[in-house]
Each structure stands twice: as structure tokens, then as C-alpha cells.
């Protein structure tokens, strides 16, 4: 190692702990209403939650937020803005429309997406006309980075995990929808979650964005005891049981990953 390298390393060691709010270079921050964390009425556990407790209390019955159980510093460092652009900038990615039943797709280069599409979500833009990167990345190109992800340390018997990685600007998110059970983790940025149990039908328009729902509908529903919500910070994990409705809102430019569990 050269002397200059050692000096740079030393500087990094001294500087990094003092750097407040390292955002991985994903600099856009949500403003005003977008950025509000909101309340959290989902049970929060720490990493001492055991697999037995997870199965007994949450797996088949209610969502849970787990703090301190993720050890993804390596994955986090590889998903910094500079690292991802260097590795994947030239690659074509497939965007999905951000409505409840994401049908439409659009192809774009990863660099173009990072440079021009991570701006804050416009309040007037509909979900079916908003495109962002989540889901379509189980292709081989992303495998080496997905391999670095340490899965949440809990499992459901007879289910296999499939990873899905995403990146989106402040104010984006997917409106209410449901599917099988799984975990989601924010790697960079904060992400707000809204959930309803399977037997409750949330009031929402499938082509309107979560941001539009937050501003127009949420004020009328926020005291509904069936509405579960919480904001995840980087390194926190949320578990959504089978068929629970959920809507998401990225408060910042966010990198996130989901672990879908299929029988
Ligand atoms: C998006 O959805 C709205 C409302 O459902 C609809 O009026 C509009 O035509 C749709 N846009 C596109 C591009 O399909
Ligand atoms: C939502 O948008 C899609 C595609 O843009 C359209 O085909 C569908 O009819 C719209 N749904 C509603 C309920 O307006």
C-alpha cells in the first residue's frame, strides 16, 4: 500500500464517523409533506426476536418491524451511488409503472435513470404514468450484487425466498396491493409503510400514487384502527404476512430490497 493510500484511509477513518446522515450519495431528500415520518403503530422488535417467537406471534398474523437484525454493511457499500453507477451505468433496466397492479414496463439505461428520474414525485402525476425501478432485476446481471445481501434471519416453513431490488426518488411508492408474505428492507433512504389486514378493503384508487393517497385520503383514515403504519430507516426490516394490503412511500431517494417468500 502506498503512503498516500494510507493517508487517505486514515482520513476516511477519522472523517466518516463524523459525517452526519451518510446517504450513500443518493442525495435527493424529500421535502415538506413527503418527508414526514408519521407515527408507528406496528410492533417493533429488536434483533433478539427468535425464529420461534417470529413464527408464533407474527408469521401468520401481523406485521412486525425488526431493528438491528440486518448485517448488510457490505451490500450497503456496494449500493452507493458511485458504486452502482460504475458497475451498472451502461446496463438497460426495466421500469414498472407505480400503480397497484403494475402492468406497464419501460426500458432505459441505468445511468439515464439515475441522472434524470430520481427527482421528487410530482403531486399531479398519476401512478400508472410514473415509472420506477423495482422488481424486474432477477436477471443474471444483478445476481452478483444480490448474492451479497444477507437475508433477514427468519424463515417461513415450506417457503423459498426470492429477492427483488429497487431504487426510486423521493415521493415515489407503490399504492395498495397485496401478494404473498415477505420481508422488505431499506438500504439507503427512509421508506414509509401503510398496511391493512387482508379482511379490510382499503379505500384507494389503483392508478393514483401513494403520495396522492397520503394527501387526499390519509387525513380521513389515519385514526382507523385497521391502518398500520411505520417508517423504516436504513437497516430496518419489515415483515408483511400473506395477503396483507400494503402501500409504500419513499421519503428520500431510496435503495431497497424485498425478500418474497413463495410456497
Ligand atoms: C392512467 O389512469 C388514469 C385513471 O385511471 C386514466 O385516465 C389514464 O388514461 C391512464 N393513463 C394511461 C397512460 O394509461
Ligand atoms: C389504470 O391504468 C391502466 C393503464 O394505464 C388502465 O388500463 C386501467 O383501466 C386504469 N384503471 C382504472 C381503474 O382507471
Amino acid at each position: 500500500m502506498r503512503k498516500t493510500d494510507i493517508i487517505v484511509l486514515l482520513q476516511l477513518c477519522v472523517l466518516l464517523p463524523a459525517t452526519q446522515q451518510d446517504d450513500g450519495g443518493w442525495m435527493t431528500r424529500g421535502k415538506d409533506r413527503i418527508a414526514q415520518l408519521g407515527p408507528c403503530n406496528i410492533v417493533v422488535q429488536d434483533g433478539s426476536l427468535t425464529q420461534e417467537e417470529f413464527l408464533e406471534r407474527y408469521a401468520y398474523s401481523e406485521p412486525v418491524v425488526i431493528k438491528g437484525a440486518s448485517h448488510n454493511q457490505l451490500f450497503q457499500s456496494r449500493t452507493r451511488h458511485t458504486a452502482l453507477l460504475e458497475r451498472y451505468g451502461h446496463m438497460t433496466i426495466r421500469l414498472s409503472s407505480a400503480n397497484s397492479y403494475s402492468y406497464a414496463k419501460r426500458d432505459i439505461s441505468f445511468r439515464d435513470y439515475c441522472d434524470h428520474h430520481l427527482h421528487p414525485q410530482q403531486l399531479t402525476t398519476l401512478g400508472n404514468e410514473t415509472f420506477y425501478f423495482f422488481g424486474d432485476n432477477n436477471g443474471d446481471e444483478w445476481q452478483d450484487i444480490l448474492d451479497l445481501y444477507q437475508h433477514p434471519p427468519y424463515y417461513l416453513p415450506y417457503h423459498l425466498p426470492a429477492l427483488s431490488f429497487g431504487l426510486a426518488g423521493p415521493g415515489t411508492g407503490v399504492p395498495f396491493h397485496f401478494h404473498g408474505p415477505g420481508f422488505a428492507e431499506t438500504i439507503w433512504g427512509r421508506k414509509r409503510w401503510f398496511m391493512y389486514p387482508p379482511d379490510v378493503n382499503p379505500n384507494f384508487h389503483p392508478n393514483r400514487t401513494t403520495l396522492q393517497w397520503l394527501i387526499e385520503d390519509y387525513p380521513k383514515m389515519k385514526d382507523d384502527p385497521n391502518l398500520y403504519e411505520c417508517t423504516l430507516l436504513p437497516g430496518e426490516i419489515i415483515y408483511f404476512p400473506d395477503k396483507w394490503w400494503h402501500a409504500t412511500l419513499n421519503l428520500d431517494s431510496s435503495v431497497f430490497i424485498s425478500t418474497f417468500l413463495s410456497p
Side-chain angles (χ1 to χ4, degrees):
M1 195 182 272
R2 284 176 299 145
K3 198 165 152 199
T4 48
D5 289 344
I6 294 171
I7 291 169
V8 167
L9 260 184
L10 283 175
Q11 281 175 337
L12 277 178
C13 294
V14 174
L15 285 176
L16 274 183
T19 309
Q20 292 218 327
Q21 296 198 319
D22 178 11
D23 61 13
W26 302 106
M27 288 207 304
T28 10
R29 289 241 161 240
K31 291 201 204 80
D32 41 57
R33 279 177 294 192
I34 299 181
Q36 283 176 22
L37 293 184
C40 178
N41 62 354
I42 298 178
V43 179
V44 177
Q45 289 281 0
D46 62 27
S48 66
L49 179 73
T50 65
Q51 167 66 20
E52 289 68 31
E53 290 166 333
F54 169 71
L55 283 182
E56 201 178 293
R57 296 189 209 160
Y58 308 108
Y60 308 103
S61 49
E62 65 167 312
V64 58
V65 169
I66 308 152
K67 301 188 178 188
S70 167
H71 304 286
N72 275 297
Q73 289 84 355
L74 179 61
F75 187 77
Q76 199 194 37
S77 75
R78 297 295 171 84
T79 55
R80 285 180 175 279
H81 183 260
T82 45
L84 274 191
L85 267 185
E86 195 174 305
R87 176 83 178 73
Y88 297 102
H90 64 283
M91 208 118 82
T92 300
I93 57 168
R94 171 149 293 184
L95 311 183
S96 304
S97 60
N99 45 346
S100 290
Y101 313 109
S102 314
Y103 333 83
K105 305 284 179 187
R106 190 174 281 177
D107 290 344
I108 180 176
S109 85
F110 186 67
R111 179 173 303 279
D112 189 7
Y113 181 66
C114 291
D115 290 351
H116 304 294
H117 290 79
L118 292 181
H119 50 70
Q121 174 73 20
Q122 297 300 305
L123 187 50
T124 50
T125 309
L126 286 166
N128 56 325
E129 293 165 6
T130 300
F131 286 80
Y132 81 134
F133 182 44
F134 66 103
D136 282 288
N137 45 33
N138 21 33
D140 291 344
E141 316 85 63
W142 297 92
Q143 200 52 52
D144 56 347
I145 194 161
L146 292 179
D147 283 346
L148 298 176
Y149 179 66
Q150 306 271 322
H151 290 216
Y154 305 98
Y155 64 89
L156 277 187
Y158 311 112
H159 284 67
L160 284 179
L163 296 179
S164 168
F165 167 67
L167 165 62
T172 57
V174 187
F176 282 104
H177 65 289
F178 64 83
H179 40 64
F183 299 95
E185 176 171 353
T186 40
I187 304 297
W188 292 108
R190 303 162 300 169
K191 195 184 193 87
R192 193 167 169 186
W193 284 74
F194 304 95
M195 300 174 113
Y196 279 100
D199 57 339
V200 174
N201 250 337
N203 181 20
F204 71 103
H205 187 291
N207 283 344
R208 296 184 76 74
T209 61
T210 307
L211 184 59
Q212 291 169 329
W213 176 86
L214 179 76
I215 287 164
E216 292 158 14
D217 301 307
Y218 174 80
K220 292 170 263 167
M221 301 176 171
K222 64 179 169 32
D223 298 323
D224 180 348
N226 285 314
L227 175 64
Y228 289 65
E229 60 173 305
C230 201
T231 297
L232 262 68
L233 307 183
E236 298 181 353
I237 296 168
I238 192 166
Y239 171 73
F240 43 88
D242 193 25
K243 300 199 175 60
W244 273 65
W245 290 96
H246 53 279
T248 57
L249 183 71
N250 297 302
L251 304 188
D252 310 305
S253 285
S254 305
V255 176
F256 44 90
I257 189 162
S258 301
T259 307
F260 295 111
L261 302 170
S262 313

